[in-house]
Amino acid sequence: MTTPAAERPPGTPQDGSGPDAKPGRPGAPACGEIAPVEEVRLPRAVEERYRLAARATNDAIWDWDLVTGTVLRNGGLTTAYGWAPDAIEPTDAWWRARLHPEDRAGVEAGLHGAIAGSGDAWSQEYRFLRADGTYADVLDRGHLVRDASGVAVRMVGAMLDLTERNRAAAQFRAVFQGANIGIVQFDPRSVRAFAVNAKLCEIWGAPESEILAHSLARWTPPEDDPDREALHARLASGETLQLRLEKRYRRLDGRIIWARVNLVSQRLGSDVHATAMIEDITEEKRTDARREALITLSDRLRDLHTHADVVAAAAESLGRTLGVVRAGYVQVDPGGQIASITPDWVAEGADAPGAAGLPAAARSPLAASVGRLTRGDVLSVPDIAANPEGVDDPAAYARLGLRAVIKVPVLRRGRLVGILYVLDRVPRDWSAGEVTFAREVAERAWGGLTRIEADEQQRILNRELSHRLKNTLAMVQAIASQTLRNVTDMEAAKEALAARLIALGKAHDILLAGVHESADMEAVMRGALSIHDDRQPGRFHVAGPPIVLGAKAALSLALMLHELATNAVKYGALSVPDGRVSLEWSLVPEPTGPSVRVVWSEANGPPVVAPARKGFGSRLIERGLVGAVGGTIRLDYAPTGLVCRVAAPLAGFQANG
């Protein structure tokens, strides 16, 4: 590079023809013809300051004589751009040739305009070729010296290498625009945005043009204005802040969202700059709200005692949390039909057609979904109008003015027993979290309903147990009283009482094995005879059709059979090894209803005679069962063995009392 004018020794010609200069191109510069004018010399003090400045910087400083076209430069082209001094020509043409082809025309036009004008400054950015073949980003600024008539005769300037600065700026822009959180930079006094990234545009649902140069106040819901105004007042006062807060924003489409905001304001010289980093936490907030709603619902359901209250609580929790207009529950009968529709929960202020739940027309879309819901799938449709195939009866939804729906099946042992549903009048982009929440509410509702059913069943069982206990105690009292009345042999009486109570206990075991106060006739008979079975083959023959007995008949039949077997062990067929007992029963049609015929017959025993005196056992045989079920009993003391015949209405055998 040649020596700049500021470093020329005194007396060096301005045209650069001195010993340190390379031959230049005489005449005017290529950007425009300049007529010869009187030479303008700078004061020596100014020349000296320029020389010192040229030595103190790494920038490429140049001094262009617009009359001769000669350009003198310092060593900056070598240190900053790698050009060897002997490769640098002292002309503007050399410099122009190294401008980027895409920038050259613009630079020349700008330079020509500055020289031809009346100003004294020129500034332009362009790309300049380095010696290694790469281009540097350059900010070139020059000062024009004009003669007395205003014609530019000299221009002095410096090339500032912006490459690293521009690279850093590009990296910052890439980070700024590519960040996964919204970022906005704004004037803390006016709260107007001057930079915004793509993520914030996405969060607010607005194009960049709707945010830049506008006040950020427009994105805060009016009801939150007091808090916003207080914060903006602190920013406008110049206070430096570093805050982390959660606040609401209103998107361009009117939807309210929640955001976590990191706000930083700081002083840079006399200016205050503010940046807000905004993260959308709407779904996080909704997740928290759904979790709290489930906890609250579970606590509430524990205190409810009716089906209607459980369904109402579940529908309210579901509707309020999801922010819909309606929510409700329907029961499905075993045939897959809608059995009942309980009153819906309806959002406050929403029009609620039908005071007792959904309008009658709603049965159609709900019933149409039964087949699909039976498989256990949750049905969710964001927009019925846009996706009518997503529901089974879109016309019914249209008549009701409903656009979005979720239906959750409630299954019990694989059978659909209920449908919990939410309905809205506007399209809803149901999230996976919302669908899961609806399913969990349904599960808790079903748990509440099951608990109520279990509690009711327990109350029924307690009443049955109390009833049975009272009947049993009364029967024990009667048996004990009759067994011990006029007793002469206490040991024999104790054995008889114990045996009768054992028979009674076995009958109770059979009754308690069932869900209701009933028992199978054959089971009662075999239980009563078991304590008399000596395990000899063919000892007892028991046969007859299945008949369910009521509790009173079961206990009386067990006691009667116990007495018959006891007498057979003492005096009849069971007192000898070859004796046999046959116990058969049948159902016989009668005009007034079917009747039961029971026959007890003994064989291969000793000869039988009628007893001379009838004790409690005989009275129990003759009156106990007949007194409990009605009908008749006949005892035949045949020489070949005792035969006992009972005939009574089936209704008497099956009654509970």
Side-chain angles (χ1 to χ4, degrees):
M1 179 175 288
T2 56
T3 306
E7 297 186 9
R8 292 197 306 269
T12 301
Q14 186 179 353
D15 62 4
S17 60
D20 294 330
K22 290 183 179 292
R25 179 174 58 84
C31 61
E33 293 296 327
I34 305 296
V37 296
E38 180 182 356
E39 180 180 350
V40 177
R41 295 298 298 267
L42 294 176
R44 182 171 297 278
V46 175
E47 292 278 1
E48 180 64 19
R49 286 197 298 271
Y50 175 63
R51 184 181 63 81
L52 293 175
R55 291 180 175 179
T57 181
N58 288 325
D59 295 340
I61 297 177
W62 47 269
D63 184 348
W64 184 11
D65 187 330
L66 297 176
V67 177
T68 65
T70 302
V71 181
L72 302 177
R73 302 180 179 89
N74 72 347
L77 283 178
T78 300
T79 57
Y81 304 101
W83 289 105
D86 58 359
I88 302 171
E89 298 178 8
T91 66
D92 66 304
W94 182 89
W95 164 76
R96 291 169 192 269
R98 281 148 186 81
L99 298 178
H100 194 285
E102 295 177 359
D103 300 340
R104 186 175 299 130
V107 173
E108 289 180 347
L111 193 57
H112 181 274
I115 293 172
S118 59
D120 60 0
W122 166 78
S123 176
Q124 201 150 352
E125 287 191 28
Y126 56 84
R127 287 166 288 180
F128 183 74
L129 183 66
R130 296 190 182 99
D132 63 4
T134 62
Y135 281 90
D137 296 329
V138 171
L139 171 61
D140 206 344
R141 290 177 291 189
H143 177 78
L144 290 105
V145 179
R146 299 180 184 275
D147 62 12
S149 62
V151 176
V153 295
R154 186 180 181 186
M155 194 172 182
V156 180
M159 297 168 56
L160 175 63
D161 190 343
L162 300 180
T163 306
E164 289 304 319
R165 191 198 72 173
N166 287 352
R167 182 180 292 115
Q171 291 175 344
F172 172 78
R173 285 194 300 273
V175 172
F176 183 81
Q177 290 297 336
N180 200 34
I181 60 173
I183 305 175
V184 58
Q185 294 178 312
F186 60 96
D187 180 349
R189 294 181 174 83
S190 66
V191 205
R192 292 184 182 275
F194 59 79
V196 62
N197 71 345
K199 184 64 177 180
L200 187 63
C201 294
E202 176 189 329
I203 291 172
W204 285 352
E208 187 178 83
S209 60
E210 289 286 342
I211 303 174
L212 291 179
H214 293 284
S215 172
L216 299 182
R218 67 178 295 197
W219 304 102
T220 297
E223 54 269 30
D224 297 346
D225 276 346
D227 290 338
R228 176 192 59 76
E229 290 171 355
L231 180 58
H232 287 183
R234 294 176 63 186
L235 289 168
S237 70
E239 180 181 352
T240 57
L241 300 174
Q242 188 168 354
L243 299 177
R244 180 183 175 92
L245 64 147
E246 293 181 357
K247 72 180 301 292
R248 301 192 307 164
Y249 288 108
R250 182 177 57 191
R251 286 167 44 95
L252 189 62
D253 59 12
R255 185 160 57 89
I256 301 297
I257 62 172
W258 275 95
R260 182 176 295 115
V261 181
N262 284 292
L263 177 63
V264 177
S265 66
Q266 56 186 344
R267 286 188 174 277
L268 297 176
S270 60
D271 294 330
V272 180
H273 295 264
T275 301
M277 289 159 283
I278 299 171
E279 178 186 4
D280 187 346
I281 59 169
T282 305
E283 189 56 36
E284 180 181 322
K285 283 285 189 180
R286 289 173 178 168
T287 299
D288 291 342
R290 292 193 290 264
R291 185 184 303 110
E292 288 298 322
L294 289 174
I295 294 172
T296 301
L297 178 62
S298 298
D299 293 340
R300 185 178 178 187
L301 291 179
R302 281 195 290 268
D303 298 327
L304 301 180
H305 304 289
T306 67
H307 282 63
D309 289 343
V310 168
V311 169
E316 179 182 359
S317 176
L318 187 58
R320 287 191 186 279
T321 305
L322 295 186
V324 297
V325 296
R326 303 177 71 83
Y329 177 83
V330 296
Q331 291 180 329
V332 180
D333 64 23
Q337 301 299 313
I338 301 300
S340 65
I341 300 181
T342 56
D344 282 353
W345 172 86
V346 181
E348 185 177 354
D351 183 22
L358 287 171
R363 290 177 177 266
S364 172
L366 287 170
S369 303
V370 167
R372 299 168 67 183
L373 293 169
T374 300
R375 298 193 295 268
D377 299 329
V378 175
L379 301 183
S380 63
V381 182
D383 187 354
I384 297 171
N387 182 28
E389 63 274 13
V391 296
D392 298 282
D393 192 353
Y397 287 98
R399 289 193 298 271
L400 297 169
L402 300 172
R403 294 288 298 274
V405 62
I406 296 178
K407 298 178 187 177
V408 182
V410 178
L411 303 177
R412 183 178 185 184
R413 299 186 184 93
R415 183 177 75 81
L416 182 67
V417 296
I419 304 171
L420 188 67
Y421 55 88
V422 294
L423 304 163
D424 212 351
R425 290 179 178 167
V426 296
R428 291 287 299 265
D429 187 14
W430 304 116
S431 68
E434 288 174 324
V435 173
T436 299
F437 172 71
R439 185 185 287 277
E440 290 178 343
V441 169
E443 291 175 354
R444 281 163 172 75
W446 178 246
L449 294 174
T450 303
R451 177 187 57 78
I452 290 174
E453 290 181 0
D455 290 345
E456 180 61 26
Q457 184 66 26
Q458 186 61 50
R459 285 192 291 271
I460 293 173
L461 291 176
N462 288 341
R463 288 196 297 270
E464 289 184 358
L465 181 60
S466 176
H467 177 67
R468 290 181 184 182
L469 185 58
K470 290 178 181 178
N471 287 345
T472 301
L473 291 176
M475 186 168 287
V476 169
Q477 183 181 20
I479 292 172
S481 176
Q482 293 294 331
T483 301
L484 299 177
R485 181 179 295 173
N486 302 319
V487 65
T488 56
D489 186 346
M490 184 57 68
E491 290 301 321
K494 287 168 58 179
E495 291 180 5
L497 178 60
R500 288 165 180 165
L501 293 179
I502 290 172
L504 183 65
K506 288 184 175 295
H508 266 291
D509 288 342
I510 296 171
L511 286 173
L512 291 173
V515 176
H516 304 290
E517 289 187 289
S518 59
D520 179 70
M521 176 177 276
E522 182 175 352
V524 172
M525 290 179 171
R526 292 190 181 279
L529 299 177
S530 62
I531 61 175
H532 303 287
D533 189 356
D534 57 6
R535 305 301 179 190
Q536 291 191 38
R539 198 63 144 162
F540 292 100
H541 170 71
V542 181
I547 297 176
V548 177
L549 302 179
K552 189 174 182 179
L555 295 175
S556 298
L557 177 62
L559 289 172
M560 184 193 78
L561 294 178
H562 167 71
E563 293 301 329
L564 288 171
T566 298
N567 288 342
V569 169
K570 289 182 177 181
Y571 315 112
L574 299 182
S575 65
V576 296
D578 296 331
R580 300 288 182 270
V581 172
S582 173
L583 180 58
E584 299 178 342
W585 66 97
S586 60
L587 282 173
V588 180
E590 299 284 355
T592 58
S595 65
V596 179
R597 305 291 174 86
V598 180
V599 178
W600 166 287
S601 60
E602 300 180 18
N604 299 334
V608 177
V609 295
R613 183 180 65 84
K614 292 184 178 181
F616 172 63
S618 298
R619 292 195 295 274
L620 191 59
I621 294 172
E622 294 176 357
R623 303 174 189 174
L625 180 61
V626 173
V629 303
T632 60
I633 185 169
R634 190 177 72 187
L635 294 172
D636 183 5
Y637 293 93
T640 55
L642 174 69
V643 178
C644 176
R645 294 180 173 85
V646 176
L650 176 63
F653 273 96
Q654 294 183 331
N656 277 310

